[in-house]
Every structure is written in C-alpha cells, then in structure tokens.
Amino acid sequence: MNSDSDIFQDALGQLGGVEPLAREQQVALKKSADAGLNQRARREAATAEAIVDLNPLTGEGVDPVDPWDPLEFKRDGVQNGVYRNLRLGKYSVDARLDLHRHSVEMARRAVLDFVRDCIEADVRCALITHGKGEGRKQPAVLKSCVNAWLPQLHEVLAFHSAQKQHGGLGATYVLLRKSERKRRDNLEQHQRRR
C-alpha cells in the first residue's frame, strides 16, 4: 500500500519537479505625517454631519406667535372627540417638560429628546411648558418655536394650548402616537376578545 505522502511525491516527479516562484521586490510605503490629520478631520466632519442630521427641528424661519394666541394642531385621522378632550384637558398628563430659561437651541434638543422619551415610555399625553414670553423684546420666542417644531415630528398627532390649571397659554398639551409595542399589545388584546 502506498501512503498519501508517496502518492504526492510520485505526482510531483511526473510533473518534472517543483521550482519556487520568483518574488517581486516590495517597496515599504511610509505614511505621510499629515495623513493622520486628514483622517481625523474627515472623521470629525462625518461625525458632526451625523449629529446635525439627527435633529430635524430648526430654529430658523419660525413664524412668530402672539403671546395671547392659542396653539392648535391636529393631523388628519385624529377624531374630533379625541381632539376636543385634549383641548379641554381631559386626558391625564403623564410627562412634563419645562422650557423656561432655555435658549432656542437648548429647547430644540429638549423637545426632540422629550418626545422620543415619551414614545419609549408609552406616554400618550404630555405637557410642554414654554411660557407666553410677554413683555419681552422678542415676545413668545419659545412658544413660536414649539408651534413650529411639533408638527414636524411624526410622533405628534395633535397639540393644543393648555387649560388654565396646567399653565394656560404658556403651556401646550401634546397627544402622541402609540409606540409599536403598545400597538402590538392592543392588537393582541382585541384579537383575544373575538
């Protein structure tokens, strides 16, 4: 019996032997000193753009709202009775955000984070206190920004200025979409009833 090694040696002998391949000369490439700087600059630029894109809300081009004007918004598909109950403050407020003493940029980040946190926590009705901003050089800046920002967020179904006991024209009720988890739970619950 021939072993595998013997068979291999016979096959090599029939081919006429083995010759090593010629190696090409290799040149060692050196990194230039500014390559690291360029790479770092590109990384920082990409990171900065990603951060800007995460918050779609803008503080520019916001139409001013009068301090005494009520804020109101309702998406198509929101039932009139649901909107009326929101407007009348009949839903329990499960989360609150106070924007007093916030700059526009701080408020922009806070509103976006607040709405996303509410969705995570299955909050359906929230209250944002922004103040009326009366008696200021630029009245109702944050109120105007909240009025412009909330419709931009698809999680917001409707909003309306609050009742007097919750801050009146200086605060806004926000009705939010159900989270996917809550939607699945409701679907399962209704399917069991059938």
Side-chain angles (χ1 to χ4, degrees):
M1 282 186 126
N2 291 338
S3 69
D4 288 341
S5 176
D6 293 337
I7 295 172
F8 180 71
Q9 291 297 330
D10 286 343
L12 285 179
Q14 291 173 2
L15 292 175
V18 179
E19 292 181 23
L21 296 174
R23 285 182 53 182
E24 295 180 18
Q25 281 190 331
Q26 293 182 350
V27 178
L29 299 176
K30 294 182 181 179
K31 291 185 178 181
S32 64
D34 64 321
L37 294 175
N38 286 340
Q39 185 179 12
R40 191 175 324 124
R42 285 194 308 268
R43 186 178 302 126
E44 287 173 3
T47 306
E49 288 174 12
I51 291 171
V52 169
D53 292 342
L54 292 178
N55 192 338
L57 306 179
T58 178
E60 300 170 5
V62 172
D63 292 331
V65 174
D66 188 74
W68 297 101
D69 285 347
L71 302 184
E72 50 190 7
F73 170 80
K74 179 177 81 115
R75 289 201 192 281
D76 291 339
V78 175
Q79 296 174 350
N80 290 332
V82 170
Y83 186 63
R84 182 177 51 249
N85 287 340
L86 177 72
R87 184 171 43 90
L88 296 174
K90 292 189 175 182
Y91 294 122
S92 67
V93 174
D94 298 325
R96 296 170 189 262
L97 173 66
D98 190 350
L99 297 177
H100 284 101
R101 295 185 178 84
H102 279 61
S103 67
V104 171
E105 183 58 30
M106 288 169 49
R108 184 175 77 91
R109 276 188 252 121
V111 167
L112 183 66
D113 292 343
F114 177 69
V115 169
R116 289 183 176 164
D117 290 345
C118 286
I119 294 296
E120 280 284 315
D122 293 325
V123 170
R124 292 299 311 276
C125 183
L127 182 73
I128 298 178
T129 305
H130 41 70
K132 289 184 285 202
E134 60 183 330
R136 302 249 169 121
K137 184 179 177 183
Q138 282 186 298
V141 172
L142 289 180
K143 182 176 182 176
S144 300
C145 287
V146 167
N147 189 47
W149 292 337
L150 290 178
Q152 294 178 34
L153 299 172
H154 80 280
E155 297 93 348
V156 175
L157 294 175
F159 63 85
H160 197 281
S161 291
Q163 293 294 310
K164 196 171 191 172
Q165 69 269 21
H166 290 126
L169 296 173
T172 302
Y173 298 125
V174 182
L175 182 65
L176 299 164
R177 290 185 190 278
K178 288 181 183 175
S179 68
E180 284 302 316
R181 180 177 60 240
K182 195 75 161 177
R183 200 173 281 148
R184 280 193 307 268
D185 292 347
N186 280 355
L187 182 64
E188 289 173 9
Q189 185 178 13
H190 290 296
Q191 286 178 344
R192 280 189 216 134
R193 288 182 187 172
R194 291 181 185 176

